[in-house]
């Protein structure tokens, strides 16, 4: 059956193909909705497609190209061989909303066909809804139970969005409408709702939500409702009883709940505001106010109210209480006079202050209660009662001093309060006397004398009054002791007290009789005053005048003396006369001839009391008229500073002092009216403003008064700040010649020290050694044998002490012939001669004046018409550069010697540069020892040509006699100074250095020269102590042979035999080791050349030294450490930042063969040596065993590296030395950027 089916199918296929098969749609596209921005694919699959397939969009043919040009987001996907012509639209947009057809064109064997229309609907989400009246996210204030319109709209949705408004989570009914959007097919929606807020809506959201099929969740916009509503009626707490007592503290609390805003509270007393502070608690939604009342009687029947109100309260909300205050009278008052003569009647009235409830009154005289009182009670303040009582009594002498008491009491309240008055019964005094010095006592004026008056009896106490003659003495105080009253007066005696009568009178209100006592004093006193009577008024120098001196009253009489300039003058006595206070007055005259020098001097009159040894004096000031006279203080020279003010003083004396001053210069009057710069100041001094050096000269002044005139002259010397008139800039001098910088100044005053010179270069320079010359206003700085380093700017500063000082600078130019910067490392330039590379040969020269350059190749001047050669020249001060640029360097034409020639007026210099191919570097030169200590050596050298490739340096060293070298890569790599540390003290070391680049190693410096140095002695070593002096050798005759001596000799012989045997054994061992070393060298020679180390200088490497630790952590801050091990752990680098101990480099030792030789661990090293079959320079990724000395981290293992690429093994942790030594990135954590080598 199966064969027949196959044959039939084949036949039908043959005949059908001949007739053609009609193309049909296997799958047609469906209508689909898609959200804007999404991708959509319309499916179209054609069976037996033979015509052209393309899509139609709203009648527009998109073309058969599957990329659909012109529609970058459109493409046809699927396999055409399978009839798949799906239309894929990326990032759908509104413009894609259309009808789509899949169309297959007509072919030779089939008719054209087209699918049904597939409608692609693009869903557009609306924009964020918005409120018309309010801002989104804001807080909107509304009043409760008031209707507000709210409109919400949303734009540009497809289809139109549905809007919903919710208040506090509850939907509010609203009306919506639609209108066209900003583009075709888009619609806007708006809805309006009327919202009536309630107090429960306060703080909640009013939300507008927008939703259409393009959204999974609605878009919302909202605002917060701030609903204003009134608070609750307030309540008052803290007064629960029916009454309160005065002086108690009443704490009242007023509370008002709810409300927005929370209530404003205030307290009132009898409708008057007393307190308006309150607090709010938003968590509990209440307002609270505290009122503290210190209860007083006036609070009785007071109404205390608390009012609450906010913005929307229609009426004020109030709560009130009425206070009932219990209070007692604050005082008890007695009215009436308590003083009366004996046997008279006194009347008193007693009343209380207001109280609630009222009190009662009773009277007491001493301890006896008085009867027959009248009591009345009346209304009083603050709603209380006042109680009053009256009483009348006859007083006797024995009642004097007794208390009359009024007592107010209330037995129900256990209250009592009293007030008392003390009775005063008046009667007259009985006796008076005075205590004073005897009448014949004499007192010196100014002596303090005490007199006391005493009196007894009488009430009130007698009043004592002192009188001097008929005048009352107010001094003194009255003292009462029992029934005796006294008044003491202390008199500081004066002349008027002499023979004066002092009287004491005693009186009181008890009667009209007055008691009296008297006493007198005798006082001695000097003259009360001294006067010069009828002095002369006007007199001139040379006149004769007479003065008379008269004293006031004195007891006893005094004598008079005239004194002038400390000398007593001879006078004439005019006698004495009686004076006041019982004293005498004395007179005396003197005659004088006066001069101008006496003007203003004093002539004194002194009155002397011999008894009292006191002097009283006065003076007369002489007023002598004379013309002006210049004093010794008058200066001859006055100095001033330019641009300032000058004051030429005048020092004269004259009488009268009204003097006219006339100043002149060269006959011209200066202080004339209208003068602007010249003014008189003070006592005739001449003041000049804005003084200039032209004002210097001799000034004359004439002084004149009513008595005559006088003249003198004063020299004015005007000082002015310096200025520099000339300073040659620049100053030029040839190299080696004498340079002279000349600074010419103008100044006054002039001094040799006013010229100062300073170097203005970048570095500080001391010019004190240079020669300086000063000739008046000219200063010179002289430089003998001028050097290039002397060139630069020099500053001349002139300072004569008158500010400001002045500065100027000038450049010293030292002319010299061209000097080209030369060096071994500059004599070659390497560049590939491949005809593609370019290079520049730089020639740098210094010289003054400017330098001109020329270039030659192999001695022939270059022809710059060749476009491959060009020159760039620059000049900067004395530095000149010429760069020869060679394009497309050719090894045939350009590998040559190029000569740069620099020329100026003073000479010529040239330098040759060899252009070569890149190569290994040239060896360094000038290797030398810079310094050394007991454990370090510092080397320095000059770098050679780097071969056109970046180079670095390596130091090789060993101890004298050592079998192998140690190598240290210099860090930083280009440094030409390096310190090797960790050396032994007092040890000979050999050092050499070479250069390395990626093309090879150079020879060692200076033709392979080796520097030898012996380190200093290690001062840290302990020196052996002093040796004991050798024992004295006994004389031969004293020496005795003892058995012990024979035993010692025998032991010494045995020891010598053992030492010889040990020596033979050591020689045999050493011979065996040398044999092994020879084998090792031969094995190294058999190693292929490519696997040898890279030093390539022909030296033999000790292959037995498989364990060399090269560490130089102390040489430079950036040094690293690395170690080679012959074990199967291979090689691993340890960056020094992870390596803490500071170990010194160790020289190599021979491989241990002696079983008695101490182990590496015993010698202070880790035993990492193993029995590996690997090549001694091959790196293996095994792990190091855990260190006993450090915390170095292990490297990656072979298992860790499994599956890694070959490049991985070229990194810091897996470098293979059998590969070419390529430069590694400096970022690798390997010593010296991964450029180290092992031995």
């Amino acid at each position: 059956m199966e064969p027949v089916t196959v044959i039939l199918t084949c036949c039908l296929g043959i005949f059908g193909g001949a007739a053609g098969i009609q193309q049909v749609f296997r799958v047609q596209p469906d209508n689909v909705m898609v959200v804007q921005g999404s991708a959509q694919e319309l499916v179209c699959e054609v069976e037996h497609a033979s015509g052209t397939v393309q899509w139609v969009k709203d009648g527009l043919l998109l073309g058969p190209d599957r990329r659909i040009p012109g529609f970058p987001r459109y493409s046809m996907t699927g396999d055409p061989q399978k009839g798949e012509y799906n239309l894929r639209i990326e990032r759908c947009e509104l413009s894609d909303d259309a009808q789509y057809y899949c169309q297959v064109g007509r072919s030779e064997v089939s008719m054209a066909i087209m699918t049904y229309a597939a409608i692609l609907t693009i869903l557009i989400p609306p924009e964020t809804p918005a409120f018309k009246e309010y801002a989104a996210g804001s807080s909107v204030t509304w009043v409760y139970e008031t209707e507000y319109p709210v409109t919400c709209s949303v734009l540009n949705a497809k289809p139109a969005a549905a809007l919903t408004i919710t208040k506090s989570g509850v939907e509010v009914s609203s009306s919506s409408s639609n209108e066209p959007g900003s583009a075709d097919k888009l619609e806007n929606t708006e809805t309006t709702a009327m919202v009536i807020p309630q107090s429960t809506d306060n703080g909640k959201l009013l939300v507008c939500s927008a939703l259409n099929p393009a959204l999974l969740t609605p878009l919302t916009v909202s605002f917060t409702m701030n609903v204003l509503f009134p608070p609750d009626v307030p309540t008052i707490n803290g007064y629960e009883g029916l009454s309160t007592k005065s002086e108690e503290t009443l704490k009242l609390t007023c509370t008002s709940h709810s409300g927005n805003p929370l209530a404003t509270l205030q307290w009132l007393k009898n409708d008057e505001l007393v307190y308006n502070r309150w607090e709010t608690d938003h968590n509990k939604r209440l307002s609270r106010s505290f009122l503290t009342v210190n209860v007083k009687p006036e609070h009785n029947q007071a109404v205390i109210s608390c009012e609450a109100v906010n913005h929307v309260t229609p009426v004020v909300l109030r709560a009130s209480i009425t206070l009932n205050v219990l209070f007692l009278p604050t005082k008890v008052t007695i009215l009436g006079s308590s003083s009366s003569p004996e046997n008279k009647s006194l009347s008193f009235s007693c009343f209380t202050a207001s109280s609630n409830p009222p009190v009662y009154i009773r009277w007491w005289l001493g301890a006896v209660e008085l009867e027959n009182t009248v009591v009345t009670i009346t209304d009083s303040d603050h709603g209380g009662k006042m109680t009053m009582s009256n009483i009348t009594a006859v007083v006797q002498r024995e009642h004097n001093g007794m208390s009359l008491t009024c007592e107010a009491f209330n037995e129900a309240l256990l209250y009592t309060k009293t007030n008392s008055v003390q009775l005063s019964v008046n009667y007259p005094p009985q006796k008076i006397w005075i205590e004073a010095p005897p009448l014949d006592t004499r007192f010196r004026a100014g002596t303090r004398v005490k007199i006391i008056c005493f009196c007894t009896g009488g009430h009130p106490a007698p009043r004592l009054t002192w009188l001097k003659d008929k005048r009352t003495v107010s001094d003194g105080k009255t003292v009462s002791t029992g029934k005796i009253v006294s008044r003491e007066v202390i008199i500081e005696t004066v002349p008027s007290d002499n023979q004066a009568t002092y009287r004491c009178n005693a009186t009181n209100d008890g009667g009209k009789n007055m008691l009296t006592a008297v006493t007198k004093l005798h006082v001695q006193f000097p003259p009360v005053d001294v006067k010069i009577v009828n002095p002369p008024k006007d007199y001139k120098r040379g006149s004769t005048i007479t003065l008379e001196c008269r004293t006031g009253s004195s007891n006893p009489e005094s004598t008079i003396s005239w004194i002038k300039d400390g000398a007593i003058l001879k006078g004439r006595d005019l006698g004495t006369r009686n004076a006041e206070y019982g004293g005498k007055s004395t007179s005396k005259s003197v005659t004088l001839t006066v001069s101008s020098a006496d003007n203003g001097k004093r002539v004194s009159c002194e009155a002397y009391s011999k008894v009292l040894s006191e002097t009283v004096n006065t003076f007369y000031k002489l007023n002598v008229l004379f013309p002006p006279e210049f004093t010794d203080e008058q200066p001859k020279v006055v100095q001033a500073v330019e641009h300032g003010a000058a004051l030429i003083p005048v020092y004269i004396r004259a009488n009268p002092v009204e003097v006219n001053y006339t100043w002149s210069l060269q006959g011209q009057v200066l202080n004339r009216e209208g003068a602007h710069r010249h003014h008189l100041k003070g006592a005739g001094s001449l003041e000049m403003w804005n003084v200039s050096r032209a004002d210097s000269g001799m000034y004359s002044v004439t002084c004149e008064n009513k008595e005559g005139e006088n003249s003198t002259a004063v020299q004015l010397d005007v000082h002015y700040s310096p200025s520099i008139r000339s300073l040659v800039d620049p100053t030029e001098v040839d190299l080696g010649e004498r340079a002279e910088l000349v600074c010419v100044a103008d100044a006054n005053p002039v001094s040799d020290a006013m010229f100062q010179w300073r170097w203005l270069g970048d570095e500080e320079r001391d010019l004190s050694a240079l020669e300086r010359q000063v000739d008046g206003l000219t200063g010179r700085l002289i430089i003998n044998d001028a050097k290039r380093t002397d060139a630069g700017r020099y500053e001349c500063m002139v300072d004569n002490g008158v500010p400001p000082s002045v500065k100027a600078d000038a450049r010293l130019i030292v002319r010299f012939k061209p000097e080209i910067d030369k060096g071994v490392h500059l004599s070659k330039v390497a560049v590939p001669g491949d005809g593609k590379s370019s290079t520049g040969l730089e020639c740098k020269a210094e010289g003054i004046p400017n330098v001109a350059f020329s270039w030659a190749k192999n001695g022939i001047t270059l022809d710059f018409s060749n476009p491959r050669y060009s020159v760039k020249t620059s000049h900067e001060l004395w530095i000149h550069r010429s760069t020869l640029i060679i394009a497309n360097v050719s090894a045939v034409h350009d590998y040559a010697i190029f000569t740069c020639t620099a020329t100026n007026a003073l000479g010529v210099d040239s330098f040759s540069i060899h252009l070569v191919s890149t190569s290994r570097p040239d060896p360094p030169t000038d290797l030398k020892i810079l310094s050394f200590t007991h454990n370090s050596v510092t080397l320095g050298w000059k770098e050679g040509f780097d071969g056109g490739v970046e180079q670095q340096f390596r130091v090789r060293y060993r101890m004298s006699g050592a079998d192998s070298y140690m190598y240290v890569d210099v860090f930083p790599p280009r440094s030409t100074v390096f310190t090797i540390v960790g050396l032994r003290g007092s040890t000979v070391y050999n050092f050499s250095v070479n250069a390395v680049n990626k093309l090879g190693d150079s020879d060692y410096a200076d033709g392979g020269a080796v520097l030898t140095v012996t380190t200093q002695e290690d001062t840290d070593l302990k020196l052996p102590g002093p040796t004991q002096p050798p024992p004295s050798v006994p004389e031969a005759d004293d020496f005795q042979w003892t058995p012990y001596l024979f035993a010692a000799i025998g032991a010494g012989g045995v020891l010598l035999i053992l030492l010889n045997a040990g020596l033979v054994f050591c020689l045999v061992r050493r011979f065996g080791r040398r044999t092994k070393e020879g084998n090792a060298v031969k094995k190294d020679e058999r190693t292929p050349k490519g696997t040898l180390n890279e030093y390539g200088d022909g030296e033999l490497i000790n292959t037995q030294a498989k364990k060399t630790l090269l560490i130089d952590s102390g040489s430079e801050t950036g040094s690293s450490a690395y170690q080679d091990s012959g074990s199967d752990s291979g090689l691993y680098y340890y960056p020094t930042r992870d390596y803490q101990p500071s170990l010194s480099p160790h020289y190599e030792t021979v491989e241990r063969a002696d079983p008695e030789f101490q182990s590496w661990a015993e010698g202070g090293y880790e035993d990492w040596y193993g029995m590996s079959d690997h090549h001694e320079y091959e790196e293996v990724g095994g792990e190091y065993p855990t260190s006993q000395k450090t915390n170095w981290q292990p490297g990656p293992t072979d298992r860790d590296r499994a599956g890694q690429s070959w490049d991985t093994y070229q990194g810091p942790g897996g470098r293979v030395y059998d590969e070419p030594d390529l430069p590694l990135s400096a970022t690798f954590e390997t010593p010296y950027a991964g450029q180290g080598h092992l031995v």
Side-chain angles (χ1 to χ4, degrees), residues 338-342 346 395-402 422-431 455-463 480 482-485 507-512:
S338 61
S339 177
S340 174
E342 59 184 341
L346 292 177
V395 294
Q396 304 295 329
R397 180 178 294 189
E398 58 269 19
H399 293 156
N400 182 50
M402 294 183 66
Q422 191 174 26
L423 298 179
S424 176
V425 181
N426 300 334
Y427 55 94
Q430 305 299 311
K431 181 181 178 181
C455 183
T456 62
H459 185 267
R463 294 188 299 273
S480 297
K483 294 184 178 182
I484 299 177
V485 178
T507 60
N508 75 350
D509 297 335
K512 297 183 180 180

Side-chain angles (χ1 to χ4, degrees), residues 1084-1105:
D1084 192 28
E1085 292 174 350
R1086 292 192 301 269
T1087 304
K1089 182 176 182 180
T1091 61
L1092 286 176
N1093 64 52
E1094 301 177 4
Y1095 296 128
D1097 55 358
E1099 62 181 338
L1100 294 178
I1101 305 302
N1102 180 9
T1103 56
Q1104 299 296 330

Side-chain angles (χ1 to χ4, degrees), residues 328-333 351-355 359 380 385-387:
L328 300 173
T330 57
K331 62 181 178 178
V332 175
T333 306
F351 61 91
T352 67
S354 179
S355 66
V359 296
S380 186
K385 301 293 183 180
M386 182 185 72
T387 304

